[in-house]
Amino acid sequence: MMELHDPKLKQRGRASVDFLAQMGIAAGPVLQKVGGEIAEKINTDNLPDDLDARDQTINSALSESSAYATQRLMGDWHGRNHGQIAIEAFEEILPDLQSTLDATTNGPASLELDPDLKLPAYWDGVHFHRTSGGWDGHEHMGYVHGEIIHKKMVARFFPGGIFQQRHAVAAMAPRDSYERILDMGCSSGHFTCGLANAYPDAQITGIDLSARMLEHAYRTANANGWNWKLYQRAAENCGFEDASFDLVASYILIHEIPADVVEQVFAEAFRVLEPGGDMIMSDATRYADLDKLSVWKADRGAKYGGEPFWRETASLDLAEVARKVGFVDVTAEGTYPHVVKGRKPA
Ligand SMILES: C[S@@+](CC[C@H](N)C(=O)[O-])C[C@H]1O[C@@H](n2cnc3c(N)ncnc32)[C@H](O)[C@@H]1O
């Protein structure tokens, strides 16, 4: 995949972004120290089943711990500041970027935004990731998120990880080739790129609620000469005809929607698949596959990280949801991401 643009941050923006990324590295020894204190003070086998009670138990046991106080402070500071730091770094480079942005506003891709779309209450105005305004919180949030937050911050916490993972998951769909693929919650297009690489002959359609993310996906597609069709639509009510696709896929959409909507999304995937078509959905580690302490860590991370629906969706059995809406040959594998596949009966 050709990058839309490797953001060459200016000195001030680069220093702030580097500081934030270094904080992630500096957190390592702090987390280790907290881990040691937990092992010393808490019998993890006896932790309460209720997640809020579990959090309270661990918090009380660590109330005197300076390492734990430092960990919380770092998490909170990161959550509060990363979005603004990325936006400021972007605004410094905008004048240099303008010609690249202009050059990709035309090309083989298409983009249909819907100013009348009724955005769901669980999404509209929610500050996902504690970024002010959430996915649409800035006029260029697609670039800020897709290129700066993802590539300059998040990718540094997962060396060699998150982009390769999207490509690997895309290639896990059962068949070697598809003709019509729908990417639900395509956002700025990172997983869509994985699908485009794995199935180069397919016509790819992407949907998302966020106009700003879709604009970035559109530019990325144009920069690569891909004819993606992008629409601002909800995954649970995507408006395509029955049997429009032979593969419906998603990567880390599910943890951003309430549990009852997850079932609607799976049912919608089933509806728009042709008989015999495949679904592959991937997201956060199921709590059922983790021990009590790991669930507590994931749950706290989600709370600090501005992920309001993580707990309820990580508590779902996605394979069961897939079977419930009619999929057959359902499989579920892996921890992060947890990948669920199913087929619409022929
Ligand atoms: C974590 S991002 C997905 C990342 C993307 N698939 C990737 O690989 O980078 C979640 C995306 O899902 C979108 N989203 C959330 N709820 C949605 C819904 N009901 N329908 C469509 N998109 C939704 C958000 O706007 C956001 O862009």
Side-chain angles (χ1 to χ4, degrees), residues 87-299:
I87 287 171
E88 283 167 14
F90 168 79
E91 284 173 349
E92 277 186 329
I93 59 169
L94 179 57
D96 301 342
L97 263 185
Q98 199 58 59
S99 59
T100 309
L101 297 180
D102 292 344
T104 48
T105 47
N106 288 305
S110 66
L111 171 62
E112 189 183 291
L113 299 182
D114 179 0
D116 299 324
L117 180 66
K118 193 169 165 2
L119 294 164
Y122 64 78
W123 186 93
D124 195 17
V126 177
H127 305 301
F128 287 100
H129 313 146
R130 298 177 68 182
T131 307
S132 183
W135 291 105
D136 275 356
H138 183 275
E139 192 194 345
H140 284 284
M141 203 52 159
Y143 192 98
V144 170
H145 219 281
E147 303 301 319
I148 301 182
I149 294 183
H150 259 101
K151 292 186 182 162
K152 300 278 179 197
M153 294 179 182
V154 182
R156 285 161 79 173
F157 301 138
F158 301 97
I162 56 166
F163 291 102
Q164 289 86 333
Q165 191 176 75
R166 285 171 165 90
H167 286 254
V169 171
M172 282 171 72
R175 290 187 228 160
D176 290 338
S177 71
Y178 290 94
E179 289 176 10
R180 289 161 294 136
I181 299 178
L182 174 63
D183 181 5
M184 289 180 151
C186 65
S187 203
S188 56
H190 292 315
F191 180 56
T192 331
C193 288
L195 291 166
N197 279 334
Y199 312 106
D201 298 328
Q203 169 64 63
I204 294 187
T205 299
I207 54 170
D208 203 283
L209 293 171
S210 164
R212 304 290 84 84
M213 294 299 135
L214 286 163
E215 284 162 355
H216 190 68
Y218 173 68
R219 288 199 175 97
T220 301
N222 284 336
N224 284 278
W226 287 324
N227 64 349
W228 298 352
K229 295 181 177 175
L230 300 163
Y231 299 87
Q232 187 183 18
R233 296 186 185 183
E236 62 272 36
N237 179 21
C238 66
F240 299 110
E241 299 278 318
D242 292 0
S244 295
F245 301 97
D246 53 2
L247 176 67
V248 176
S250 79
Y251 178 89
I252 63 170
L253 158 73
I254 294 166
H255 73 271
E256 294 217 347
I257 52 185
D260 58 328
V261 181
V262 173
E263 187 174 325
Q264 294 168 24
V265 168
F266 277 37
E268 187 71 340
F270 189 85
R271 184 186 70 76
V272 298
L273 274 171
E274 64 183 24
D278 294 316
M279 174 197 78
I280 176 167
M281 304 288 200
S282 49
D283 212 299
T285 311
R286 288 189 331 150
Y287 281 179
D289 293 338
L290 297 174
D291 61 47
K292 282 183 166 180
L293 189 61
S294 305
V295 169
W296 172 76
K297 286 181 189 165
D299 213 54

